[in-house]
Amino acid sequence: MFVMSILSTISFITYIYVGAFVLYLNYHSKSHRNFFYSCLAFSLWSFSYIFLNMELSPEEREFWQKMSFCGALVYEIFTLRFFLFLTRFDEKIKHRVLVNALILVIPGVFLFQNIAYNAIVNDFPYGMWYVMAHVYANSYNMLGLFLVFIWGRKSTRRMEKKQAAIIVRSAMAVIIITIICDYAMGFMRIPTLTPFQPQPATPLNPALSPATSQVEPTFTPYPTKYVVSENLPTP
């Protein structure tokens, strides 16, 4: 897990550096600013995983789980806005205030559930909030990539066509890998790179005899859950 914390640290520093550099190139550009905000969200996601890959108390683990999903739920907003400004589709929007409000409403609901109840983590991997969080994220990402694809097809500039092709191909590869590693493997109960914290077996009720009932930890990528196993042998 120490290696994963090191990799998360490298990712955190990289996101901060790239985002700050792009912002430095043109602070007044809306696309540059939204790219920077997206990098900040990614950096929060990575920063949280520095700690999630360490030994933590249940309270500390829940806090960093919430922080990680704050980043994971916010980057889609700024990434979509970045694509809108990059492709100049924002200039064709008539009711911009309404569109911006709609872009914020859905992630706002997920953020509330995440901060208040840690709902996304607790619903891993079959629950509504975890599944819907993936639907939301991929919908925003695919919409943004669709705009980039259309932009590349309609553009008469060779450089813009090349930029669009690079963005779409690389982003699709990342999305496919993420779906496989973060959702499909979890759905099939295959261990993933997402950190988990095994807990020692302890009785749910001290009055219960260890010979008849005790608790086994189940290894889940996010929250530590327990199941009661009957008639387990006494060590």
Side-chain angles (χ1 to χ4, degrees), residues 199-217:
Q199 299 290 333
T202 55
L204 282 176
N205 188 339
L208 295 176
S209 170
T212 59
S213 179
Q214 73 182 64
V215 178
E216 286 182 324

Side-chain angles (χ1 to χ4, degrees), residues 49-129:
Y49 269 62
I50 296 174
F51 300 96
L52 284 172
N53 283 292
M54 297 180 179
E55 296 280 344
L56 298 173
S57 67
E59 294 78 13
E60 293 172 331
R61 178 160 297 275
E62 180 177 349
F63 172 79
W64 288 113
Q65 286 169 347
K66 292 180 178 180
M67 289 299 102
S68 68
F69 269 102
C70 282
L73 293 169
V74 167
Y75 87 86
E76 292 91 349
I77 301 173
F78 299 112
T79 301
L80 179 56
R81 286 173 56 83
F82 165 70
F83 288 144
L84 282 170
F85 293 122
L86 176 68
T87 60
R88 297 183 291 275
F89 272 99
D90 67 298
E91 300 173 359
K92 303 177 182 179
I93 299 175
K94 296 181 179 180
H95 306 286
R96 296 186 182 182
V97 175
L98 177 60
V99 171
N100 287 327
L102 291 175
I103 292 175
L104 295 173
V105 165
I106 297 177
V109 173
F110 283 99
L111 280 172
F112 173 77
Q113 289 293 328
N114 173 58
I115 295 174
Y117 308 110
N118 204 21
I120 302 173
V121 169
N122 292 331
D123 273 1
F124 178 90
Y126 310 107
M128 179 186 72
W129 289 109

Side-chain angles (χ1 to χ4, degrees), residues 112-212:
F112 173 77
Q113 289 293 328
N114 173 58
I115 295 174
Y117 308 110
N118 204 21
I120 302 173
V121 169
N122 292 331
D123 273 1
F124 178 90
Y126 310 107
M128 179 186 72
W129 289 109
Y130 185 82
V131 174
M132 291 306 296
H134 275 271
V135 173
Y136 145 70
N138 287 307
S139 297
Y140 273 48
N141 292 333
M142 295 303 294
L143 175 59
L145 293 179
F146 176 74
L147 296 177
V148 175
F149 176 77
I150 297 299
W151 171 60
R153 289 288 298 271
K154 291 185 176 181
S155 177
T156 57
R157 300 179 181 179
R158 181 179 179 183
M159 182 57 68
E160 289 184 350
K161 288 182 174 294
K162 186 175 181 180
Q163 288 176 335
I166 292 174
I167 292 173
V168 171
R169 291 171 184 172
S170 58
M172 285 301 300
V174 172
I175 290 174
I176 292 173
I177 293 173
T178 301
I179 291 175
I180 294 173
C181 296
D182 195 27
Y183 183 69
M185 290 175 63
F187 186 82
M188 294 183 289
R189 297 294 184 181
I190 300 175
T192 71
L193 294 178
T194 306
F196 57 87
Q197 180 79 10
Q199 299 290 333
T202 55
L204 282 176
N205 188 339
L208 295 176
S209 170
T212 59

Side-chain angles (χ1 to χ4, degrees), residues 11-29 31-43:
S11 297
F12 165 72
I13 296 173
T14 302
Y15 284 127
I16 292 293
Y17 172 78
V18 172
F21 178 73
V22 170
L23 185 66
Y24 170 77
L25 292 177
N26 190 349
Y27 173 80
H28 299 287
S29 169
S31 60
H32 284 60
R33 290 203 301 269
N34 279 276
F35 183 87
F36 170 70
Y37 298 146
S38 182
C39 285
L40 285 183
F42 277 117
S43 67

